[in-house]
Each structure stands twice: as C-alpha cells, then as structure tokens.
Amino acid sequence: MTALLVVLATPLIAALVLALLRHAGLAGWLNVAADAVSFAAAVALAWQVGQHGDIAGLGLRVDAFNVYLVVLTTFVGLTTAIFSRPYMRHVCASGRIQPWQLRLYHGMYQVFMFTMLLALTTDNLGVLWIAVEGATLATVLLVSLYRTPEAVEAAWKYFILCGVGIALALFGTVLTYFAAQHVLADPVAGLTWSALFEVADRLQPEVMALAFVFLLVGYGTKVGLVPMHQWLPDAHSEGPTPVSAVLSGLLLNVALYAVVRLKMLVDGSLAGTATPHLAGVLLMGFGLVSFLVAGLFLHRQRDIKRLFSYSSIEHMGLMTFAFGLGGPLATFGALLHMLVHSLTKSAIFVTVGHATHIAGTQSIDHIRGLIRTQPAVGWSLLIGVAAIAGFPPFGVFTSEFLLLTATIQSQPWLALTLLSGLAIAFAGLFRHLHPMVYGAAPAGQRPVPANLVPVYIHLGLVLWLGLAIPGPLARWLDEATHLITGSRLL
Amino acid sequence: MTLAELPPLEQWMLLVAAFVLFTSFVLLAQARLVSAIHAFAWQGALIATLTLIVAQAEQSSHLWFSALLTLALKALLIPWMLHRLVRRLQIARDSEALRWPTLAIMAAVALVIFSYWLVLPMVAQELTFTRNIVAISLAVVLIGLLMMVVRQQAVAQVLGFMSIENGLFLAAVSTTGGMPLFVELGVAFDVLVAMVLFGVFFFQIRESIDSLDVDRLNRLTETQPEGQTETRTGETP
C-alpha cells in the first residue's frame, strides 16, 4: 500500500513544486528525479503484487493487469523525462518558449503522469473518467506550447474532440451506475469496478449494451480509433516531441486499458443473452477499420511526426482487434504488444525529435541523409522503424505473430486482412524512411548534440523481448491474461 | 402506464426536464451570443431546480449540496465567466446566423425521436418514467453535439460542450439520484478547469487567426500543398 501511495503522490507533489520553481536547470533534474522515484516505487509495487496478490484500499485497486501498465507508464515517463531535460532547455534557449512556459511544461508533465497513474490504479469508474479527462486538460496546453497557428489549431481540435468523446463516456458511466442500482444495495459500490465485476451477470443486459457503445466511443476517441482519430496526428505533430512520446506511449494505452476493463463487465452482463460477444465484435470492427485505414494513410504523409502518429493509430487498432477477439492467446499477444509498442514508439519519437533538429524541418521531403550527417540518429531511426514494422528479431514481431496465430485459430479469413494490412503499413513506412536515412546529406547539415540513451535502452529491451521473454514477465502477463479472459495460456 | 398515472413528483420532474430540452433548442438556434449565454444559464438553473425536487423527495442531504453546486457552477459561475470573456473579446454584439436554421432544428427534432427509439429496449417493467428522462437527457447530449457541428463560433461551440455536460448531469440526477459525492465534485472540478482553459484558448485562437470562427482553423490537413511545406517548420527551434 505504501508503494502505491508513493507512486501516486510523487508526481502530484512534484507538479506543485515544479509549478513554483523558477530555476530552469534544477526543474529539469527534479522532473527526472520525481519520475525515478515513482518508477522505483512502481517496481516495488509490482514485486508486492507478485508475492502477495492484489492490493486494495482507499478506492484504489492494483492487480496483475494494471500493475504491469503502472510499471510501463512510470518507466516511459522516466526515460522521456531524461530525454526532455536537455531537449526542452535547448528549445527554451533558442527563444521559442519563455521560461514561464518551461515551468508550465514541467508542472503539466507531472500532472499528466499523476492522472495516468490514477486512471490505472483506481477501482472507481467515476474516478477513472475524471482522471482520463484530467489527462486531456493537462496536455492540451502542452500541445499549443509553441503558439504557432498550427499548434493552436491542433490543441483546439484535441480539446474539443476528446472533450466531447469523453463526455459520451460519462453518459455510459451514468448508465452503468443506473444498471448497478438495481443490483447493488450500497450506492457508492455502484461505480466500484470490483464490486460490479462480481455481480456482472445480474446487470441488466439492455442497459449495459447501450452503456458500452457510449463508453467505447468515448474512451475509443482517446485510443485514437478511426473515425474518432482526427485529433491524434495533429496533436502529435504540433506538440513538443517529449509530449508526442508520452501521448503515444502512455495515453493511448491507458484509454485502451479503460475499454478492456469495461468490456470485462459487459461480457459478464451479456453472457446469457442472444448476443454474448457484442462487446468483442464491436472492438474487432473498430480495431480492424483503424488498423487498415491508418495503414493506408501512412502512404500519404508528408510530415514525419504525422507519419508515426498514424503508425500509432494502426497499432492501437491491432491491439483493440486482439482484445476484441478474446481468448488467452490473443489477449496475451495484445498485452505484449502494448508493452513493445510503447517502448518502440516512444524511442522513435525521441529519435525523430533529433532528426527534425538536424534537418531544421518536419517535412519528410526535406529530411535527407541522416546516416551521413549523424550515424547514431540515422541508425536509431532505421532500427526503430524496422522494429515497429515487425521485423523478426524484435518484440513487435513476437506479439504480432501471436496475434496472427490467434486470428487463424478463430477467424481464419480475417488473418488474410491482417497480413495484407501489415504489408501495406510496412510499405508505407519504408517508402518514406529509405530516402530519409540513406543518400547524400544536403549541404551544410550538421550533427546536433543528441541524447540517445533512452532510445538505446528502449530498443535494447524490445530486442530482448523479441529474442527471449524473461520467465517472470511471461508469468506476469499470463496472470493478467488469466484475469481478463479467465483462463491461462502457459 | 400513461404519464398521467405517474406520481405527482415524477410528473414535476418530467415537466422540468421538458423545459431543459426546450432550452437546448433555444441554444441551438439563438444567433446572438449574449442571449445564448443567458439561455445556457437558464438551462443550468432548471437542472438545479430538478435536483432540488429530487433532493426534497428523497430527503437526501447530498443532493441538496449537489443542487447548490449545479446552481453555482452552471447557472452563475460559468455563464458569468463566458459573459466576461465575450466582453473582453469585444464580441458581445456579434451574432452568427446559422447557415440552414430550419434544417438544424429539423435535425434536432430527429435526434429527439432517435433518442426515444434508442431507449426503447429499456421499456421493461415500471421504467416508463426512467425511459422518458433518459431519452430527454440523451437528446440534450445529442443536440449539444449537433450544436458543436453547426456553429462555427468558438464561444457557441463551448456552449454546446457545456450543454452536453448538462445533459449528462440530468441523466445522473434523475435516473440514479446522483453519483457519489466525490465523483460529482471531481466532474465539477474538471468542467471548471475546462472552462478556464477554453478562456485561454479564445485568446490564443484570436491571436493566431484574428477571429473566433473555428472554421478558419484549417491549416492541418493530410497533404499540404507544395508552397506551404516550405514555410512550415513545425516545432523545430
């Protein structure tokens, strides 16, 4: 319990301190330190859950499923903070943002971490909603940090679309609460996920089906599912690079986590009706459409950060599809994919941040000869994209292979669609990547001071996960699979 | 069971809820910004009244508090903030004509019918009352969405957003007797922060496009024309 409270309290305290701290150099280090503390506490928390089972209390609840995401969130938060310290100072020194905006950035970064961790650990559907909405509010000013017309437009779109989406999720939450009132005596328990899960089979199925549609559209907006994805490429391309990294690596995962939790409730409620797999089918449909549409859109991109945000939509679509497919194999694959995608994608965004500094533009047509100019950045980008496209030695290959196997088992025809989607996405990424990393560098292009340690760590981990998944991690994921589907894989 | 056979209390609630729906229509079609803000304030006051009726009936102290919170936030504070922003942005006298007012109203009517159709499966047992009120709140939510689609003025869009929140609150209070207090407080806090941020954005948008017509926020598209890519350096310092 102590570890859990440290995980949650650290970012909150750090946010307050950072909002007031005027010393820019110290603020960057404090940001890193706070994330390091929460990461250490998250690891301790994971160890406790592994040893003694679930931890619950104070309206919070940690089990195998969410502790895994807590560790991932704090880890990516930490490495991104390490990257962002020199990066944001560089941005501030170049005069693009004022010192008070840097303070805003650091404060909001920690508020964002807090809302993510609260959304993951809370046991209350109402608090989950408040935290996810809070994450939008914390990041919206970060997206418009540079105050260019494009950045303001992106932030407004992000605000309005996610605000409306999440409002629909609140309607779904109210409907769930309404259904619970007929079953549970204690009104406060009506929003408690664990209490609802126990009585899921007695919740009125008609109401729950309607509620799930609203919840899926609401939280699905934040996952970036097509057709509610419009905000995502804009927000990712116009915000500062560390913000793109945490949005893609963390926010999307947390929203998907919310959808999966709610699917577990609805599955329980609909089990005895004529449409027991309604939630799963909806997830599969939305997931597959997002996967294919985003794959096609990759081909049309001219902006490097938009390119990789479409790749995020594509991967979120794949995970949504897998969770919809259900069954232990697909769920295990989807959980592993969440992990490797977050690690790879945040590494790519960090590298892209350096690449845009080298080329002085985000336009793909004008980024050329990265390997010639600065081999470390060029190779990191090449290897990162190879990993995200699903090349064999990396973890993404393993998880996508598992997902394909699961699809062939239950829906063989859809496997063809998946395979062609993967091929389309692969082509879309590499046709843009090839000229960017190889070839001659434009005259006058110089290396920039780069901080690639987070990239090496992330890509190293993804490689390790592709070669051999460590036993404890496999058992851990299996425990989460057991929690979600009710049966084990290993 | 017909509506006339419902207990008087529920009839009162339905009446107030119907007025809430009416204010949604007013909001949708009201061209003058200041009048639209007033309509929004009335909607908030009506929802506070409805909460008060439920609180009186159930003798629940938590709902008394919740009614007070709604009145303070939705009927007074947020309309006041919007009023002040509109004056400071000097757009108080602006009016924005809907492009197809009749069509917008017809669409809103269709949304009300759609909401009733959507809640039909809940017809079971004694749910006549609940069904009506869920349908009305759903309609308020959907009309709010429609408003955000058809209005181009940023302030009008925010009014649409806030009236969606009103619809949600209506659903929560009338069908379930209100969410737990800490959830309600958290939601109210989020709404308030959102309002403050909207205020910040009005100024940022005006600074960047010299207008609050959000239809003119159209720089970000999938394929930028050739000329534009040259000047666009994105976030590069």
Side-chain angles (χ1 to χ4, degrees):
Chain A
M1 198 70 210
T2 321
L4 177 55
L5 289 179
V6 172
V7 168
L8 281 175
T10 313
L12 200 58
I13 297 167
L16 284 174
V17 175
L18 284 168
L20 298 171
L21 190 68
R22 287 178 180 278
H23 193 293
L26 198 61
W29 282 112
L30 189 62
N31 197 28
V32 175
D35 285 310
V37 171
S38 7
F39 175 59
V43 172
L45 181 68
W47 189 77
Q48 282 175 13
V49 172
Q51 296 292 311
H52 311 294
D54 298 2
I55 296 174
L58 292 175
L60 305 169
R61 185 181 189 82
V62 181
D63 52 31
F65 180 23
N66 57 10
V67 78
Y68 146 72
L69 286 169
V70 167
V71 173
L72 178 63
T73 301
T74 49
F75 178 70
V76 176
L78 172 63
T79 49
T80 311
I82 293 173
F83 158 70
S84 101
R85 192 188 60 81
Y87 185 89
M88 292 312 284
R89 281 195 69 182
H90 181 59
V91 171
C92 192
S94 70
R96 273 181 67 98
I97 61 170
Q98 304 298 318
W100 69 268
Q101 285 177 304
L102 190 66
R103 226 161 72 217
L104 175 83
Y105 166 81
H106 281 129
M108 285 302 172
Y109 187 89
Q110 290 298 330
V111 173
F112 173 71
M113 290 307 292
F114 170 72
T115 52
M116 292 286 87
L117 293 167
L118 181 65
L120 288 172
T121 53
T122 182
D123 195 19
N124 186 298
L125 296 180
V127 177
L128 171 69
W129 184 88
I130 294 166
V132 175
E133 167 79 359
T136 314
L137 299 176
T139 41
V140 73
L141 283 180
L142 297 184
V143 172
S144 76
L145 198 68
Y146 292 140
R147 295 293 175 81
T148 57
E150 288 88 4
V152 172
E153 177 184 341
W156 177 258
K157 232 181 196 176
Y158 173 44
F159 201 179
I160 291 289
L161 268 173
C162 284
V164 170
I166 210 77
L168 295 179
L170 184 59
F171 195 76
T173 309
V174 170
L175 285 175
T176 311
Y177 187 49
F178 170 65
Q181 290 220 318
H182 294 275
V183 181
L184 289 165
D186 176 17
V188 179
L191 280 176
T192 310
W193 185 86
S194 49
L196 284 171
F197 189 60
E198 274 167 26
V199 296
D201 53 331
R202 284 191 286 146
L203 296 172
Q204 212 183 359
E206 294 87 359
V207 181
M208 287 309 285
L210 188 60
F212 185 71
V213 173
F214 279 98
L215 290 164
L216 176 61
V217 171
Y219 289 120
T221 310
K222 289 224 107 149
V223 181
L225 296 179
V226 174
M228 294 90 73
H229 69 286
Q230 301 286 346
W231 64 273
L232 197 148
D234 295 349
H236 281 62
S237 64
E238 299 305 327
T241 300
V243 175
S244 319
V246 286
L247 283 180
S248 219
L250 305 179
L251 179 73
L252 309 184
N253 273 353
V254 172
L256 185 59
Y257 160 82
V259 172
V260 174
R261 282 271 169 185
L262 293 159
K263 173 180 181 280
M264 290 161 74
L265 283 185
V266 179
D267 276 348
S269 164
L270 295 182
T273 61
T275 52
H277 301 300
L278 178 75
V281 172
L282 278 173
L283 284 187
M284 281 166 67
F286 269 109
L288 205 56
V289 169
S290 310
F291 175 69
L292 293 174
V293 170
L296 288 169
F297 265 105
L298 282 176
H299 289 261
R300 295 189 52 189
Q301 299 311 312
R302 310 183 71 106
D303 181 305
I304 184 166
K305 282 167 90 180
R306 288 184 83 88
L307 178 75
F308 290 112
S309 44
Y310 272 99
S311 156
S312 289
I313 299 176
E314 181 218 337
H315 286 275
M316 293 320 285
L318 189 61
M319 287 175 233
T320 311
F321 172 79
F323 279 120
L325 202 61
L329 185 59
T331 308
F332 188 94
L335 288 170
L336 182 63
H337 199 75
M338 258 180 161
L339 175 64
V340 289
H341 172 254
S342 287
L343 291 175
T344 319
K345 194 49 71 66
S346 42
I348 288 180
F349 270 113
V350 169
T351 320
V352 164
H354 290 309
T356 54
H357 274 192
I358 293 173
T361 172
Q362 279 178 220
S363 162
I364 291 174
D365 295 343
H366 296 87
I367 302 178
R368 288 290 177 266
L370 286 177
I371 289 182
R372 285 269 166 85
T373 313
Q374 193 165 6
V377 173
W379 282 108
S380 296
L381 190 64
L382 184 64
I383 293 172
V385 175
I388 204 75
F391 267 98
F394 294 100
V396 182
F397 172 77
T398 319
S399 57
E400 282 180 352
F401 186 77
L402 288 176
L403 294 183
L404 264 178
T405 318
T407 314
I408 292 170
Q409 268 180 7
S410 51
Q411 311 275 346
W413 285 103
L414 289 181
L416 280 180
T417 330
L418 276 192
L419 270 178
S420 49
L422 286 173
I424 292 170
F426 166 78
L429 283 172
F430 269 78
R431 67 182 280 190
H432 293 306
L433 178 77
H434 206 263
M436 281 195 289
V437 293
Y438 294 117
Q445 189 162 285
R446 276 172 218 300
V448 292
N451 175 13
L452 288 167
V453 177
V455 178
Y456 300 149
I457 298 175
H458 282 203
L459 292 180
L461 282 174
V462 174
L463 182 63
W464 185 17
L465 288 172
L467 294 174
I469 300 176
L473 180 68
R475 278 193 296 280
W476 193 4
L477 289 180
D478 196 41
E479 193 60 39
T481 309
H482 175 63
L483 199 76
I484 298 171
T485 61
S487 48
R488 287 173 195 280
L489 181 68
L490 301 180
Chain B
M1 196 189 229
T2 63
L3 289 180
E5 292 167 37
L6 287 172
L9 175 80
E10 299 192 342
Q11 294 196 28
W12 271 111
M13 284 173 64
L14 280 180
L15 182 69
V16 178
F19 274 120
V20 172
L21 186 58
F22 175 68
T23 50
S24 258
F25 275 88
V26 175
L27 264 178
L28 177 68
Q30 179 55 258
R32 283 198 57 212
L33 274 182
V34 174
S35 313
I37 294 173
H38 290 163
F40 171 74
W42 277 112
Q43 191 173 51
L46 282 169
I47 288 178
T49 317
L50 201 139
T51 317
L52 212 59
I53 297 176
V54 183
Q56 181 65 29
E58 299 190 358
Q59 287 300 327
S60 119
S61 56
H62 137 229
L63 278 177
W64 280 100
F65 178 78
S66 158
L68 206 66
L69 185 71
T70 317
L71 189 73
L73 192 69
K74 297 283 178 56
L76 300 172
L77 187 59
I78 290 180
W80 176 75
M81 286 167 81
L82 279 168
H83 225 282
R84 216 172 64 113
L85 282 169
V86 161
R87 262 184 288 130
R88 277 179 59 197
L89 289 160
Q90 296 171 336
I91 47 173
R93 299 198 161 273
D94 281 23
S95 63
E96 174 210 4
L98 279 180
R99 230 171 289 168
W100 299 289
T102 328
L103 211 59
I105 296 290
M106 296 292 278
V109 172
L111 285 178
V112 175
I113 297 170
F114 173 70
S115 313
Y116 269 90
W117 175 78
L118 208 59
V119 295
L120 269 185
M122 291 166 66
V123 74
Q125 331 91 330
E126 78 290 62
L127 290 179
T128 319
F129 164 71
T130 326
R131 187 158 53 94
N132 267 304
I133 217 124
V134 171
I136 289 179
S137 36
L138 186 56
V140 171
V141 169
L142 292 177
I143 293 175
L145 272 177
L146 179 69
M147 183 167 167
M148 297 184 75
V149 175
V150 297
R151 305 283 292 248
Q152 285 110 43
Q153 224 279 345
V155 180
Q157 290 209 331
V158 170
L159 282 173
F161 181 86
M162 291 291 164
S163 83
I164 293 178
E165 290 282 340
N166 275 347
L168 296 172
F169 194 79
L170 177 66
V173 166
S174 49
T175 60
T176 64
M179 309 255 253
L181 192 60
F182 60 98
V183 175
E184 232 163 63
L185 278 175
V187 173
F189 176 73
D190 273 358
V191 170
L192 192 61
V193 174
M195 189 57 237
V196 172
L197 291 184
F198 276 130
V200 173
F201 269 98
F202 289 157
F203 288 98
Q204 289 192 0
I205 290 175
R206 220 204 9 199
E207 200 183 314
S208 80
I209 59 169
D210 206 26
S211 142
L212 275 175
D213 183 348
V214 290
D215 257 19
R216 290 214 233 147
L217 287 176
N218 55 6
R219 282 167 170 257
L220 296 171
T221 50
E222 281 322 321
T223 39
Q224 263 113 26
E226 270 307 315
Q228 222 178 329
T229 44
E230 299 295 335
T231 54
R232 238 179 69 75
T233 52
E235 68 132 0
T236 319

